[in-house]
Amino acid sequence: MSEHRRKPPQPQGGGRAAARRGQSGSSSGRRAAPRGATGSPSDSYGSGPAGSGGEERQYGGRAEARRAAQRSGGRRRAAEPGRSGQRGAPGGPHGPGRGRGRTAPPGKKRFIDYPRAGKYGVRRWVPSWKLVSGLFLAFLGSLVAVAGIGYAMVGVPQIDETAKAQNNVYYWSDKSEMVSTGGETNRQIVNLSQIPKAMQNAVISQENKTFYSDSGIDPKGIARAVFNMATGGETQGGSTITQQYVKNARLGDQSQTISRKFKEIFISVKVGTTVSKDDIMAGYLNSAYYGRNAYGIQAAARAYFNKDAIKLNEGECAFLAAMLKGATYYDPAGSPSIDAKASAQANSKRALVQMQDTLDKMVEYGHLSPDVRAKYTKLPNWKNPRFNTALSGQVGYLVDLANSYLVNNSKDTGITEQKLRDGGLSIYTTFDKKKVNELEKAVKKVQKASIKPKERPETDTHVQFGGASVSPATGAIEAIYGGEDATKHFTNNANETGAQVGSTFKPFVLAAAMKWGVRDKNLGPDQAQDERTKVSPKSLYSGKNKLKIRDYKGDIWRNEKGEEWNQVNDGDQSLGSPPQYKIDLREAMRESVNSAFVQLGMDVGLDKVKEAAVDAGVLESSLTGTDYPSFSIGTSQPSAIRMAGAYATFATSGKQRSPFSVEKVTDKDGEVYTHETVTKNAFTAQVADNVTDVLKTVVERGTGTNAQLTGREVAGKTGTTDGNRSAWFVGYTPQLSTAISMFRLDDNEKNQNREFLEMYGTGGQKKIHGASFPSLIWHDYMEQALKGKKPEPFPVPEPIGEIINDIPTPTAAPTPTETEESSPSPSPTPSESLTSPTPTPTETCFGFQCNDIGGSDNGGTDGGVTSSPTPTETSTDGNSNGNANGNGGIFGGPSG
């Protein structure tokens, strides 16, 4: 053997190992075996690094020795005396070693070796690759078993039997049926051959590009959906078309839960393997919801384009694919009554982006040529909603109002948009069929007699009316006029127009003056009520034209540019006793004198005027800012519903009840919701009854004489706005409160400006006032609505307040507003005008297009909040600015 392989010789002394062997030998009384006694060749080269025998070198220690013993199935024997380190029988082949004089443990085997035997420290707790592999295979096996059982147990749902949404049945206030709608009446199943290939490719490109090759599920999408649901995140997942088809076919269980998701997965897998892809595609497109109460592609094609599905082009198909994302936020017509973010403008933008993305993907995946795709860069020419004839006329507006009320108050009603879609509800409304018909008849009478767009196209086109009638006793909305036809004119004019209310706002100024009083000029603006002086209707104010408006301290009011405010009256006329033109508030209300009420509002504080309007029932979100004196004369845009409800508060001696449109809702299991009337004390009877008494004067011998009813007491107020762009009459008896509005607005979807138009010359009248057509409609309707009911008198008011300004100090300066003159005859005559400032056009909200939606009117909105105009502008309507001038401008005319 070569030198470099030879082990170095052991020291003579043998070291500590030898000493240990010597001790072992002496203790046993026997001499240690001489080297080489075992006959092992290795012994001739020494005892190894540790000086131990051959066994210790061969097995590397006790642990390895034990494992070796276990592998051999044997048992270590006790070392013989004097033969320390000997393994097995005496004379064994391993020679001397270190003996411990103990017996090795028996060799046991565990099914799962964990913690690991024979390992120490961290290694003892690290599982072996055999254990990991075994557990992984067992897990896969269990999944396969569960999947197999689930697959075997589920069945394939029949789309024709399970995807039929039920109808919702709507009832009049007398419990007779109004209309049945909401489910199968607006679904028409068509074969796949009647569905354009472009529609199929659109949904494949946008939702499931692997539709024809996948097994019906998307594992990544499922994992994401399950994780989101488990962690409380969004419940939306990456469902395939097959999964959505399955979900639509199982409408009885639409909950977003993990258990439902697993059911959907198993059914989707089975459907994917047992149902043809063509059948799945047809079932999905026929069962999906596209908005506008349209279930299925055929109903959707009719609802949006008034054509059969087979005639849809590529752009229209991509558009309808966008509606599948959620029509509330993609229908260009808008759904502000459902969500303020779902305005027509915002929805149109979202729909166009989604449509273009779908077309791009169709090109990317080879379903559409670039040349054809280039044709569709704008939204298709969609139609106004609803082609269900059952929802024509006023019924569509009534159904929408009821639905909006339920959804917008879902915390109380428990009814969501999805629940309405599922159907099966009996909805009992507050609408009186007779009153609804009579209100529509009264409007059509005026339209037929006076509104002639063919004869006077420049003045009589785009004329619209709105109206609402509310019960003071309950707040129930008994009738509305929403427009010509719900299938032709989408906006509900009773609920969302954006038309300013003009002088019909003045009663809230009077109520604030009698409730809180005018401020003491020697005190600060935030005065306690006992530091104010409550106002009597006999109080005197200046009716001078171009009145210079002052703040409550008597200082001339100036805007942020230092410009004075000069308030004008209608026709630049001063009213009252000259030279100071003093006029009491009753007379000022009767003649609708702007200057008097603008100054009164400043004395009380515009914040208190606003508070009075809100207390009466006007939504704060429909009110403009209080930065300008003209706030007191109606630059805000409450709805007809809210104006009727607010005046009803005066009719009930100050008890306010919010308007509502649904009495109760039931389903197959019983009662779902019942309305409970909540009454608030907005004003004392003393305040409210005095307001009523003053408003009676307006009808008896003021601007509202056309509204007089046979044998009944009536209180009301006329209103006209700047530029003659809207006119109102709001009036009430003890039993019924009604608001009528009139305006010109081209709200066709193609008209992007949607501005209110002037009504000079409309209906053959020089100028439209609240005293003209609105009061005539109000009269004709109320005569019939109250027919057969015993007349009731208003309460006799108790005296209130103090007579202030016995000798009013004239403070002149003009600004646009309105003064209405009495109508000497039943025929409409020009009697009022509002030339008050209105909001800047950039923030004006028009009905369903408004981005800053106000709260709900039984599910709807009252128009949006707009800012006050800049001091250098005169806003002639809610959408455009007029020119500042001496007579009509906000700051026009000399100081007076």
Side-chain angles (χ1 to χ4, degrees), residues 115-329:
R116 296 176 65 183
K119 299 293 183 182
Y120 300 91
V122 177
R123 295 181 63 193
R124 176 177 174 81
W125 302 100
V126 177
S128 66
W129 67 270
K130 292 181 180 180
L131 178 60
V132 173
S133 301
L135 291 176
F136 179 73
L137 292 174
F139 175 74
L140 289 181
S142 64
L143 287 182
V144 172
V146 171
I149 294 172
Y151 182 85
M153 292 180 64
V154 299
V156 177
Q158 296 298 317
I159 189 68
D160 290 336
E161 296 177 2
T162 60
K164 295 179 180 179
Q166 300 179 70
N167 287 327
N168 292 319
V169 182
Y170 297 80
Y171 297 90
W172 295 102
S173 59
D174 63 0
K175 306 300 185 292
S176 62
E177 184 174 325
M178 178 196 304
V179 66
S180 177
T181 185
E184 59 192 1
T185 54
N186 199 24
R187 172 189 277 115
Q188 302 87 40
I189 302 297
V190 294
N191 295 327
L192 191 65
S193 60
Q194 297 299 305
I195 302 175
K197 194 66 178 178
M199 187 66 205
Q200 302 173 46
N201 290 332
V203 295
I204 289 174
S205 300
Q206 187 59 250
E207 300 182 31
N208 186 191
K209 65 180 180 181
T210 61
F211 170 72
Y212 282 106
S213 60
D214 63 32
S215 61
I217 61 172
D218 175 12
K220 292 182 179 179
I222 293 171
R224 181 171 61 251
V226 172
F227 176 79
N228 287 342
M229 286 185 287
T231 57
E234 295 182 358
T235 58
Q236 300 299 320
S239 298
T240 63
I241 288 175
T242 303
Q243 286 177 267
Q244 294 179 64
Y245 162 77
V246 169
K247 183 170 62 175
N248 291 340
R250 294 173 61 83
L251 290 177
D253 183 10
Q254 287 289 304
S255 58
Q256 290 287 346
T257 63
I258 294 179
S259 61
R260 191 210 61 80
K261 200 70 180 177
F262 276 113
K263 289 180 182 179
E264 178 186 303
I265 292 170
F266 288 133
I267 295 174
S268 297
V269 172
K270 193 155 192 175
V271 167
T273 57
T274 59
V275 180
S276 70
K277 293 292 185 179
D278 285 349
D279 288 344
I280 293 173
M281 177 61 71
Y284 169 59
L285 293 176
N286 276 309
S287 62
Y289 181 70
Y290 297 80
R292 300 192 180 186
N293 198 40
Y295 292 83
I297 184 63
Q298 175 66 12
R302 282 287 173 188
Y304 288 93
F305 305 111
N306 197 24
K307 62 171 66 174
D308 291 330
I310 190 63
K311 297 180 180 179
L312 296 171
N313 61 39
E314 289 82 355
E316 292 166 341
C317 290
F319 172 92
L320 290 179
M323 296 305 105
L324 294 173
K325 296 289 184 181
T328 297
Y329 300 98

Side-chain angles (χ1 to χ4, degrees), residues 358-369:
T358 299
L359 290 169
D360 290 340
K361 288 180 178 178
M362 291 173 71
V363 174
E364 178 182 351
Y365 302 141
H367 300 311
L368 187 66
S369 69

Side-chain angles (χ1 to χ4, degrees), residues 479-510:
I480 66 167
Y481 179 81
E484 179 183 356
D485 190 320
T487 63
K488 299 176 182 178
H489 173 72
F490 180 55
T491 304
N492 186 343
N493 289 344
N495 197 35
E496 46 184 348
T497 62
Q500 294 181 351
V501 295
S503 289
T504 59
F505 201 78
K506 290 175 182 175
F508 304 129
V509 182
L510 180 61

